[in-house]
Every structure is written in structure tokens, then in C-alpha cells.
Amino acid sequence: MVSDEARAMYNGGMAGLTYWSPNVNVFRDPRWGRGQETPGEDPVVAGKYAASYVRGLQGNNGIRLKVAACCKHYTAYDLDNWNGVDRYHFNARVSHFYLRLAINNSQNYSESVI
């Protein structure tokens, strides 16, 4: 398993324990060019994929994590075209309120899908 090898690299002093994966950005536009990093355009599939990927990386020991998974592009990343604004020309500044709202909504969503 990847997490076994990662833990071995950490134990040997050659790596850390934080892994920036999986990429859970919903793939909406092929011009983005990095679709192979994502599970696709279906949010339900992306949610199930992310949950399984994270569980696999972190292990199921219950006492400690093998590694710490950190989902990339979890929130406030995808902006297709909203009122003439797109992600190429917009610097997202997400307030604490909206970040907390996204986290709470995703927790409720994950409980319903998984």
C-alpha cells in the first residue's frame, strides 16, 4: 500500500507524513488540462472516491494514522463562469463564515452518501 511505503519513508527520515491527496476538484472543463488527477465531473462519485482514498491512506488502526491525507481543492476552488467572473481572473478570498459553511455542508453530505 502507498501509505505503508509512505510510513516507511517517514520512519527512515526521508519524507513527511502529510500527503496532499486526493484531488477532489470536480472536473468540469477539459481545458483545465489536469483531469487525470480527479475522479471526474460527478460530485457523488468524487465524494465517495475521496472518502475511500482518505481512509486507505490513513489506515484503519484507530490509534494513529499511517499518514495524514489532505484533500486538494476541497472548497473555494472551482469557479466556472459566474456573472462574468472566472477562476483565471479572480482571487478568491474566502471568509471564515463561508469556509465553515462549506465544511458543515460537506460533513452532512458525506454522511448521506457514504
Side-chain angles (χ1 to χ4, degrees), residues 50-66:
S52 297
Y53 196 116
V54 168
R55 280 192 201 108
L57 271 181
Q58 294 185 163
N60 58 3
N61 185 329
I63 298 170
R64 69 177 192 177
L65 302 176
K66 287 183 183 180

Side-chain angles (χ1 to χ4, degrees), residues 24-35:
V24 294
N25 189 45
V26 174
F27 187 61
R28 297 175 193 254
D29 187 343
R31 293 174 295 175
W32 180 47
R34 296 172 62 187

Side-chain angles (χ1 to χ4, degrees), residues 1-10 15-22 53-59 66-69:
M1 288 184 97
V2 172
S3 55
D4 291 337
E5 292 179 15
R7 178 53 86 157
M9 295 289 285
Y10 171 77
L17 285 178
T18 304
Y19 282 76
W20 292 87
S21 58
Y53 196 116
V54 168
R55 280 192 201 108
L57 271 181
Q58 294 185 163
K66 287 183 183 180
V67 300

Side-chain angles (χ1 to χ4, degrees), residues 28-95:
R28 297 175 193 254
D29 187 343
R31 293 174 295 175
W32 180 47
R34 296 172 62 187
Q36 71 276 11
E37 295 179 23
T38 72
E41 60 187 30
D42 185 337
V44 174
V45 170
K48 289 182 179 183
Y49 165 84
S52 297
Y53 196 116
V54 168
R55 280 192 201 108
L57 271 181
Q58 294 185 163
N60 58 3
N61 185 329
I63 298 170
R64 69 177 192 177
L65 302 176
K66 287 183 183 180
V67 300
C70 181
C71 295
K72 292 170 48 179
H73 311 303
Y74 172 69
T75 188
Y77 180 73
D78 194 17
L79 182 64
D80 290 326
N81 187 356
W82 179 71
N83 288 336
V85 177
D86 63 30
R87 69 185 179 99
Y88 302 107
H89 304 95
F90 178 71
N91 182 12
R93 293 186 195 128
V94 182
S95 72

